[in-house]
Every structure is written in structure tokens, then in C-alpha cells.
Amino acid sequence: MAAAENTKKDTRFCPYCGMSSFELSGNEKEFVCCEYCGVDVEVKELIP
């Protein structure tokens, strides 16, 4: 259980609506889909 607590998660938000949050763990594709906007957003464009 301690190993799971050490896993770093990076939460970022959609730059278009700010409503949808994404927990990044390092093995994402280049794009994520915002469930509010319906837009495919590049991971590098997400707001920390």
C-alpha cells in the first residue's frame, strides 16, 4: 500500500473550459478528450 501512496499524480485542467480535470501519471497519449468541451486537447496545453 505504501508504494501506491508514493505514486506521483499530476492534476491538470482543460485550458478551454477549466471544468475538466485530468490526473496525469506519465504514460498518457499526446491528446486527452475534455468531457465538458468535447475537444481533444494536447497534454502539453493542459493547465497545471
Side-chain angles (χ1 to χ4, degrees):
M1 187 128 176
E5 292 174 6
N6 291 335
T7 303
K8 184 179 178 184
K9 296 236 178 183
D10 183 12
T11 302
R12 297 192 182 192
F13 299 89
C14 175
Y16 301 107
C17 69
M19 297 290 291
S20 193
S21 63
F22 304 92
E23 286 191 8
L24 306 177
S25 60
N27 53 351
E28 290 75 24
K29 300 174 186 172
E30 291 185 35
F31 290 89
V32 292
C33 183
C34 176
E35 59 189 45
Y36 289 95
C37 296
V39 177
D40 287 330
V41 182
E42 279 192 88
V43 170
K44 65 183 179 182
E45 292 182 12
L46 295 175
I47 301 170

